[in-house]
Amino acid sequence: MMDAARARKLADRIQQIVAEMLERRIKDPRLGFVTITDTRVTNDLSDATVFYTVFGSDAERKDTAAALESAKGIIRSEVGRQTGLRHTPTLGFTHDPLPDSARHLDELLAEAKARDEEIAKRAEGAEYAGEADPYKREEDAEFDDELDVEEDVPGHAGRAAT
């Protein structure tokens, strides 16, 4: 069993090699706008899973999956050549749904923001149902002085009613 640090290092190297191969060497017309998001290698270095996203429709995603599958052999050969490993890990390609989820959340947040702006726009010309400021202020104290109220508050000299 190998250590996890070595597996992580190899995963990073494989990710870099696969990304370069897809960008420069693999000329499959089915290959869409693909981004390699992550690569994980088992601790025994026998298997590597390459995660990717595709910008586009479901059909483009399926075409890209097929293109990656058919290019797997040549990509694995290049990984073996560039890493110098005695046993090159088998490669598996997996669509990474996380960026799609993040995009969906971004869309929901944008929709909420648009609704907030709409509500703010509607509120611009609105008037209060009651008083604009329902809280008492110091200037209201004159009115309180006019009342003849007996106060029984400790430490407070109240006026007694006559």
Side-chain angles (χ1 to χ4, degrees):
M1 181 131 163
M2 300 289 167
D3 65 63
R6 183 166 179 216
R8 182 71 245 160
K9 211 172 186 177
L10 179 61
D12 290 345
R13 184 68 185 119
I14 290 173
Q15 182 172 341
Q16 185 181 10
I17 294 166
V18 171
E20 286 172 6
M21 291 278 299
L22 294 177
E23 194 177 310
R24 298 193 179 102
R25 303 236 340 248
I26 308 298
K27 300 297 180 200
D28 192 319
R30 297 172 297 173
L31 200 60
F33 187 69
V34 64
T35 302
I36 304 301
T37 55
D38 194 16
T39 301
R40 302 219 178 107
V41 176
T42 55
N43 283 348
D44 64 2
L45 309 183
S46 64
D47 293 301
T49 303
V50 179
F51 294 90
Y52 68 94
T53 60
V54 180
F55 183 76
S57 67
D58 284 341
E60 288 169 299
R61 196 173 294 134
K62 286 180 181 132
D63 286 350
T64 296
L68 290 171
E69 196 59 37
S70 69
K72 194 186 284 189
I74 192 168
I75 294 172
R76 184 171 183 238
S77 297
E78 187 64 18
V79 166
R81 193 181 71 71
Q82 288 194 36
T83 58
L85 292 172
R86 202 163 19 139
H87 299 289
T88 304
T90 58
L91 295 181
F93 290 94
T94 302
H95 180 260
D96 187 353
L98 191 64
D100 294 335
S101 301
R103 190 175 313 114
H104 179 65
L105 283 175
D106 286 344
E107 289 167 1
L108 290 175
L109 289 170
E111 186 180 325
K113 184 179 180 200
R115 286 182 181 176
D116 286 351
E117 288 170 356
E118 177 64 29
I119 290 169
K121 211 179 280 181
R122 286 184 189 173
E124 276 177 16
E127 291 185 23
Y128 294 99
E131 293 180 38
D133 185 3
Y135 301 102
K136 281 192 165 190
R137 304 272 181 240
E138 282 187 33
E139 51 274 7
D140 297 337
E142 295 170 20
F143 177 74
D144 289 343
D145 287 343
E146 292 172 11
L147 295 176
D148 216 4
V149 178
E150 186 175 324
E151 295 187 30
D152 238 357
V153 180
H156 184 271
R159 268 191 352 223
T162 51

